[in-house]
Amino acid sequence: MFKSLLSKALLLLPFISQPALAEPIIWKIYDQQREFYVLGSIHAGKEAMFPLPDVFLEQWQQADALIVEANILQQSNVAPTLAPPFTHQALSESTLQQLQKISKTLNLSFDQLLQQPPWLTAVTLQLALADKLDLKSDYGIDYVLLQRAQQQKLPIHELESVSQQFNMLENLPDNGAPMLIETINEWDKTQSSLRCLVKVWQHGDSNKLEQLFNESQFDPTTDDALIFDRNQHWAETLAHTTPYQSGKFMVVVGAFHLIGDQGLPNLMKQQGFKVEKVTSSTKANCN
């Protein structure tokens, strides 16, 4: 979560218009008083993910604010609570052996992982895998756009705080053990899905993106906490709270929050908004 400063060149990347063969999905969600242009973010990415689609860049110029999950540029003294049960207490012997093998491939300290809460170990594995696949947080869509908004003095609104995000993780079922066990058991699939994700995002391939989303599911209680409950809260916040009753807003949240009946676009539609996809998509060829 601690990110280095971005170079000026990278700050400009999303705002240099170039022809694109395919585009990530942009949703326009609107009524008579307000417009939300919603882009699904990948929180760690590559330079090849830029520039962003023209429609997003054009609307950015007239935007009243950028809306993100949490403003990760703000200095925060919030730290996670490292409470038991810890990883070594939550896993069977065979699963611990699998974790040890995975930690070696990622150059992570197995002993340190054992002393962490299971949710933190799962997050650590996922971040290390992204780094191994050369996906960098400095190229995350939300990070790049937050930097740009800050540079241009565009107001930044957050849907939740970093503290709330930690609280969510700390209150996962069994301290996140089901999430960690699923991550370990499906490690090969996780690696192939992450390799595919950037290409799918670039092409705006909604069918393949939904497939990757379905393959990434945990147990229902964990999925509700990580995705669906937050989607519902965000939809109600955008529809009903004071800052969003009029104006044009650029919204950037994790791409998996925009999928399916319980995704943010459909929930906003249920709130009475019109919803349109305003970008072109092509099929992504990856396995």
Side-chain angles (χ1 to χ4, degrees):
M1 291 191 177
F2 302 98
K3 301 176 183 287
S4 61
L5 291 176
L6 217 55
S7 68
K8 291 183 179 179
L10 180 55
L11 283 173
L12 293 173
L13 278 172
F15 298 87
I16 300 173
S17 178
Q18 298 175 2
L21 297 177
E23 299 176 311
I25 299 170
I26 309 289
W27 295 97
K28 178 182 178 182
I29 301 174
Y30 63 101
D31 62 13
Q32 291 183 341
Q33 288 79 39
R34 51 215 160 145
E35 296 179 353
F36 301 97
Y37 287 86
V38 184
L39 170 64
S41 174
I42 299 178
H43 299 308
K46 298 182 176 183
E47 185 176 351
M49 292 164 58
F50 301 97
L52 297 177
D54 286 347
V55 64
F56 192 86
L57 308 184
E58 291 164 1
Q59 298 302 326
W60 177 281
Q61 304 305 321
Q62 292 85 40
D64 295 298
L66 169 66
I67 304 172
V68 293
E69 294 180 33
N71 186 354
I72 54 178
L73 299 186
Q74 287 184 333
Q75 294 294 325
S76 175
N77 295 322
V78 177
T81 302
L82 305 183
F86 298 112
T87 296
H88 70 91
Q89 300 167 314
L91 302 184
S92 67
E93 186 61 35
S94 61
T95 307
L96 284 170
Q97 291 175 2
Q98 289 178 272
L99 175 60
Q100 186 172 26
K101 292 178 182 178
I102 292 169
S103 67
K104 288 181 179 178
T105 67
L106 298 174
N107 294 317
L108 294 173
S109 168
F110 178 59
D111 290 337
Q112 184 174 338
L113 294 178
L114 294 181
Q115 304 305 318
Q116 297 181 163
W119 68 262
L120 183 55
T121 297
V123 171
T124 301
L125 294 179
Q126 293 163 7
L127 292 174
L129 176 59
D131 187 66
K132 180 181 177 182
L133 298 178
D134 203 31
L135 300 175
K136 305 301 183 184
S137 60
D138 284 354
Y139 288 96
I141 302 301
D142 46 352
Y143 183 51
V144 171
L145 292 177
L146 278 165
Q147 287 274 8
R148 185 65 178 188
Q150 187 177 76
Q151 183 188 61
Q152 293 186 339
K153 303 189 184 306
L154 180 68
I156 298 169
H157 297 173
E158 55 183 6
L159 294 166
E160 56 197 20
S161 66
V162 172
S163 177
Q164 287 174 311
Q165 292 186 339
F166 276 139
N167 185 66
M168 169 195 66
L169 292 166
E170 291 162 5
N171 286 281
L172 290 175
D174 299 321
N175 218 13
M179 179 172 70
L180 175 58
I181 292 168
E182 182 72 11
T183 299
I184 293 170
N185 289 340
E186 300 294 331
W187 188 248
D188 290 340
K189 183 182 292 184
T190 298
Q191 293 183 84
S192 62
S193 295
L194 192 53
R195 289 189 184 97
C196 188
L197 180 59
V198 170
K199 181 179 289 188
V200 170
W201 180 88
Q202 287 176 295
H203 283 255
D205 187 338
S206 56
N207 291 332
K208 187 65 176 179
L209 191 63
E210 185 166 1
Q211 178 186 331
L212 293 176
F213 173 67
N214 291 333
E215 291 174 354
S216 73
Q217 298 292 282
F218 301 112
D219 64 280
T221 304
T222 299
D223 292 337
D224 284 345
L226 293 176
I227 300 289
F228 303 124
D229 290 349
R230 297 166 74 201
N231 291 353
Q232 187 67 54
H233 174 69
W234 296 348
E236 292 172 358
T237 297
L238 295 175
H240 301 300
T241 60
T242 301
Y244 310 116
Q245 294 309 297
S246 64
K248 179 179 292 187
F249 304 95
M250 314 308 290
V251 183
V252 182
V253 297
F256 282 170
H257 288 283
L258 307 181
I259 295 171
D261 292 341
Q262 297 185 73
L264 186 60
N266 193 60
L267 293 176
M268 295 291 283
K269 186 176 182 180
Q270 293 175 15
Q271 295 278 358
F273 289 85
K274 295 181 180 179
V275 177
E276 300 175 3
K277 188 171 77 168
V278 294
T279 47
S280 301
S281 303
T282 57
K283 185 176 180 180
N285 295 317
C286 63
N287 298 316

